[in-house]
Amino acid sequence: MAVNNRSGDDSRFYIDGRWHDRAHAASIAVVNPYSEEIIGHVAAGSSIDVDLAVAAARRAFETFSRSALDERLALLGRILALLEERAELFAQAIAAEMGAPIGFARAAHVPFALAHVRAQMEVLQRYRFLSVEDGIAIAKEPIGVCALITPWNWPLYQITAKVAPAIAAGCTIVLKPSELSPYSAQLFAQVMHDAGAPPGVFNLVGGTGEVVGAALAAHPDVDMISITGSTRAGVLVAQAAAVTVKRVVQELGGKSPNLFLDDADFEQGVAKGLLAGMRNAGQSCSAPTRMLVPASRLAQVEALAATAAAGITVGDPRDEKTSMGPIANAAQYARVQAMIASGMEEGARLVCGGPGRPAGLAQGYFVRPTVFSDVTPDMRVAREEIFGPVLVIMPYRDEAEAIAMANDTVYGLSASVQSGDPERARRAAAQLRAGQVHINYPAWTSHAPFGGYKRSGNGREYGVHGLEEYLETKAVLGY
């Protein structure tokens, strides 16, 4: 595969250390969400492809699971160096396949993906795989063959969040990237090859979740499956995996609250909250899309939110001035438009945005940055994950009601608290049922564990907690 290939037809899978052409297989069209044109095709994998990849990973596990830490560190270092060297190729691929603005792809998608590799190298350098106390040895050993299913919204970022800890642990991998944003995954497979990953340690099989994902989840020789996707997809994977009692790690949907206490910095915080909710065109499972504010500050918050939304530049993702590109695919675009219509039908008050494309954009899956206010907890826009640039503002009477509203969701992936009083913010954070809580917009780090409560999934990614998902615990008595 030429490393400068960002689109076009690519019918190959990477299995057992080499590329395999599947030109005879059924193909899947890849659509550019800006032009709405087909820019290429990729092969739709089958259960036979899965069997080949899993068998290669199983063979490789015998040796790779016993590899020295220095060998795995060196491999991760070569992967990191190649990702850095090819950063622009990845940014261009991501802009083409899922519509991320090129500036955002360069500033966030790619560097955050690199950070996961760097973090696992840091963890690996200090992690104790064997500890002994009172005659009991606790050994942490690689779990085995890992199937990794990644989504279309953060394609490279989610690949490295799974592949890096699996490699660090000594596991072998079969990756199924989203068929809707496959080019960055193809580029990543070439990185793994060029970095010298031993044959079978990393394998890539593209295709649909219904075929390839289901085959991986049910495969008796897969020891663990890690999926990032919708809650519906996570449930199907868990059901299929249950038969063989494999470990399932899920990072699923979210409807994250952003709680403004009455002493928050509204002038700065509302704009930051809106932009956080609409980052990546709102296509982030942890996006803080429910803004909970004191009823007495509602008019101020609406004005601040409208001003911030007006500052978003929606347009061609290739333009460096663009801050929001299109929704990544047609199905998701239709979903977002339907949810905006639902908000209007159920009586939410439209502050800005609304249905249809922004003015001046006649093509592409573009959505107007939309803010609803006077949203009540029973409305669909308050309860369902929209996965688009839609923010709902929900007024509350007192802090107790605010906490109850924040937790009134089937999800629990992320939450945010804004307050001028650190102790008060910590007390509120302690009451929020979410796997990650942000106080006053802290800097992102690849070491903070990420994962959800309730229907947002189970297990954790990133840092040492992400590594440990790929390890089994063995106790040796009388050591």
Side-chain angles (χ1 to χ4, degrees):
M1 180 184 183
V3 296
N4 63 351
N5 188 23
R6 297 194 302 271
S7 60
D9 292 345
D10 193 333
S11 59
R12 294 172 298 168
F13 298 149
Y14 187 77
I15 300 173
D16 206 15
R18 63 187 181 91
W19 291 99
H20 297 251
D21 197 334
R22 292 291 185 266
H24 64 280
S27 65
I28 299 171
V30 183
V31 177
N32 181 303
Y34 169 65
S35 66
E36 300 185 50
E37 296 175 347
I38 294 174
I39 56 174
H41 297 81
V42 292
S46 68
S47 60
I48 295 173
D49 297 308
V50 169
D51 287 344
L52 289 172
V54 171
R58 176 58 62 197
R59 288 192 301 271
F61 181 72
E62 296 305 314
T63 301
F64 192 66
S65 62
R66 299 191 299 271
S67 60
L69 296 186
D70 286 347
E71 293 178 40
R72 304 205 293 272
L73 265 174
L75 175 57
L76 288 169
R78 294 192 298 272
I79 292 166
L80 179 61
L82 287 168
L83 289 172
E84 290 173 335
E85 178 184 308
R86 300 173 188 177
E88 181 63 17
L89 294 176
F90 281 101
Q92 294 288 346
I94 291 165
E97 68 190 0
M98 58 80 61
I102 188 62
F104 187 67
R106 290 169 178 155
H109 276 268
V110 176
F112 290 173
L114 269 63
H116 287 309
V117 182
R118 198 174 292 113
Q120 289 304 318
M121 293 177 69
E122 293 165 358
V123 169
L124 192 54
Q125 287 171 325
R126 62 177 183 266
Y127 191 78
R128 294 179 63 191
F129 287 87
L130 180 68
S131 59
V132 182
E133 186 174 349
D134 298 329
I136 303 172
I138 304 297
K140 295 288 190 176
E141 300 180 344
I143 193 169
V145 174
C146 300
L148 311 179
I149 299 177
T150 55
W152 47 260
N153 58 320
W154 286 87
L156 179 63
Y157 173 92
Q158 289 292 347
I159 287 173
T160 59
K162 298 181 191 299
V163 170
I167 293 292
C171 295
T172 56
I173 296 158
V174 180
L175 171 68
K176 192 213 90 66
S178 172
E179 70 277 17
L180 301 176
S181 53
Y183 294 129
S184 52
Q186 298 285 82
L187 287 170
F188 183 81
Q190 190 65 43
V191 163
M192 294 297 294
H193 179 83
D194 294 345
V201 167
F202 173 88
N203 307 273
L204 181 147
V205 177
T208 65
E210 290 81 2
V211 175
V212 176
L216 286 168
H219 204 291
D221 285 333
V222 169
D223 301 291
M224 169 185 167
I225 189 157
S226 176
I227 176 174
T228 297
S230 68
T231 297
R232 174 184 169 276
V235 168
L236 292 173
V237 163
Q239 288 173 334
V243 178
T244 49
V245 199
K246 56 173 58 70
R247 182 178 299 173
V248 179
V249 175
Q250 305 160 312
E251 195 268 281
L252 308 176
K255 192 69 177 177
S256 301
N258 189 358
L259 171 55
F260 279 73
L261 299 178
D262 55 19
D263 62 349
D265 182 349
F266 287 84
E267 290 292 334
Q268 299 294 321
V270 171
K272 288 182 178 180
L274 177 132
L275 294 174
M278 297 190 180
R279 185 181 66 153
N280 208 40
Q283 299 168 122
S284 297
C285 45
S286 59
T289 53
R290 290 188 296 145
M291 187 174 285
L292 280 53
V293 303
S296 62
R297 308 294 289 269
L298 187 60
Q300 178 193 15
V301 170
E302 290 171 356
L304 291 168
T307 299
I312 296 173
T313 303
V314 183
D316 186 343
R318 299 169 299 181
D319 188 336
E320 295 190 11
K321 296 178 182 178
T322 295
S323 55
M324 182 183 293
I327 295 296
N329 55 73
Q332 187 57 32
Y333 175 75
R335 159 79 179 171
V336 174
Q337 292 293 338
M339 289 301 296
I340 291 172
S342 170
M344 298 173 71
E345 291 165 6
E346 291 189 316
R349 184 160 48 81
L350 195 62
V351 174
C352 61
R357 296 185 180 90
L361 294 170
Q363 68 175 26
Y365 304 134
F366 289 101
V367 173
R368 300 167 68 191
T370 297
V371 177
F372 284 111
S373 189
D374 279 332
V375 173
T376 56
D378 59 310
M379 294 179 180
R380 286 184 66 197
V381 290
R383 305 203 71 79
E384 297 183 27
E385 184 175 40
I386 299 173
F387 228 60
V390 182
L391 178 75
V392 300
I393 301 174
M394 306 176 69
Y396 65 81
R397 291 186 301 269
D398 54 38
E399 189 172 327
E401 182 183 49
I403 296 293
M405 288 172 63
N407 289 332
D408 183 18
T409 172
V410 297
Y411 299 111
L413 186 58
S414 182
S416 298
V417 178
Q418 316 306 326
S419 173
D421 181 343
E423 281 302 320
R424 189 180 179 198
R426 292 178 192 127
R427 287 195 300 270
Q431 298 175 73
L432 296 176
R433 299 280 294 165
Q436 201 175 78
V437 181
H438 298 236
I439 295 177
N440 294 334
Y441 305 115
W444 176 83
T445 170
S446 55
H447 282 285
F450 183 68
Y453 287 24
K454 298 184 280 188
R455 296 186 196 176
S456 286
N458 54 59
R460 293 294 180 267
E461 294 191 302
Y462 310 174
V464 66
H465 295 82
L467 172 68
E468 289 182 331
E469 294 291 354
Y470 295 87
L471 297 171
E472 285 282 24
T473 300
K474 175 187 285 181
V476 182
L477 285 70
Y479 189 79

